Amino acid sequence: MSVKLPYSQETFTVPKNLYIIGTMNTSDRSISSIDIALRRRFKFVEMMPKRELVADFGINFADIFEDLNTKIKILLDRDHQIGHSYFIKTKYENAGINELKTIWFSEILPLLNEYFYCDWEKLKLVVPGFIKRLDVPETLKNECEDSVYEFKTFDEVVDLKKALSQENFE
């Protein structure tokens, strides 16, 4: 099958052995009209996170990955789980802990921050090893809060395995 491109008027074809696979998070509600249009035109196959498609990183990461998604399912819903697509490339490249740390800080923590925006009590349950308490100066305290939280930085987390395995906020 071929089509003529509207601007260049060139012919465009896709080989028969090429499959186009698009991904879309069910949490992307702001593009619901696009979602509806796509669902009318294409076949959709739900693909939940698969632990066997994430690299081990030398720390049994599949268990950590599964535990993280269990917490997210309980605190939010099943549609907000972290997909294996964040880690799938690493599975086939024998990636190490440094690649995991980069993915974790540049993709996973920002996503969790969006999911649990300003809900530090839930974030402390989901990723306790990546949160730190900040003491607020006395002049800025109010009667409701005497400390605030934020994520630890990339450099503050020296032992990623320990931070990923931490069960309770300290």
Side-chain angles (χ1 to χ4, degrees):
M1 178 183 210
S2 64
V3 295
K4 188 172 275 195
L5 298 175
Y7 295 111
S8 68
Q9 297 299 310
E10 292 181 23
T11 302
F12 178 78
T13 59
V14 176
K16 289 183 180 191
N17 64 344
L18 176 68
Y19 294 90
I20 299 174
I21 300 173
T23 63
M24 185 173 180
N25 293 328
T26 55
S27 60
D28 292 334
R29 304 289 183 225
S30 62
I31 55 173
S32 61
S33 58
I34 294 171
D35 181 41
I36 292 167
L38 289 171
R39 289 182 186 279
R40 286 196 313 261
R41 292 170 176 84
F42 298 98
K43 176 181 174 182
F44 281 78
V45 177
E46 181 179 60
M47 184 170 293
M48 298 309 289
K50 294 184 178 182
R51 66 177 279 139
E52 62 272 10
L53 294 178
V54 300
D56 181 65
F57 300 103
I59 60 169
N60 198 17
F61 184 70
D63 287 344
I64 294 166
F65 176 74
E66 198 166 75
D67 183 51
L68 173 67
N69 278 327
T70 299
K71 291 174 183 177
I72 292 171
K73 277 193 292 188
I74 292 167
L75 296 171
L76 283 176
D77 57 47
R78 70 189 288 272
D79 292 337
H80 283 83
Q81 294 178 83
I82 305 298
H84 54 268
S85 63
Y86 290 101
F87 309 100
I88 199 164
K89 185 178 175 184
T90 62
K91 173 81 172 177
Y92 303 102
E93 293 179 351
N94 296 320
I97 198 82
N98 290 331
E99 287 86 358
L100 174 58
K101 190 172 181 181
T102 299
I103 293 167
W104 194 264
F105 278 89
S106 64
E107 298 184 58
I108 304 304
L109 288 181
L111 183 61
L112 292 173
N113 191 33
E114 183 179 319
Y115 286 173
F116 299 101
Y117 186 71
C118 289
D119 191 342
W120 291 102
E121 294 309 310
K122 286 184 181 174
L123 282 165
K124 288 190 294 185
L125 294 171
V126 176
V127 285
F130 295 91
I131 297 172
K132 65 181 177 182
R133 180 187 322 263
L134 296 176
D135 289 326
V136 177
E138 195 65 41
T139 55
L140 298 176
K141 288 184 183 179
N142 62 36
E143 63 276 355
C144 300
E145 187 173 16
D146 54 326
S147 63
V148 293
Y149 302 93
E150 69 179 14
F151 286 109
K152 293 177 181 175
T153 65
F154 186 92
D155 294 329
E156 288 176 314
V157 177
V158 178
D159 187 345
L160 185 65
K161 180 180 180 180
K162 181 179 176 187
L164 287 167
S165 301
Q166 187 173 325
E167 293 184 20
N168 297 312
F169 179 73
E170 296 171 352

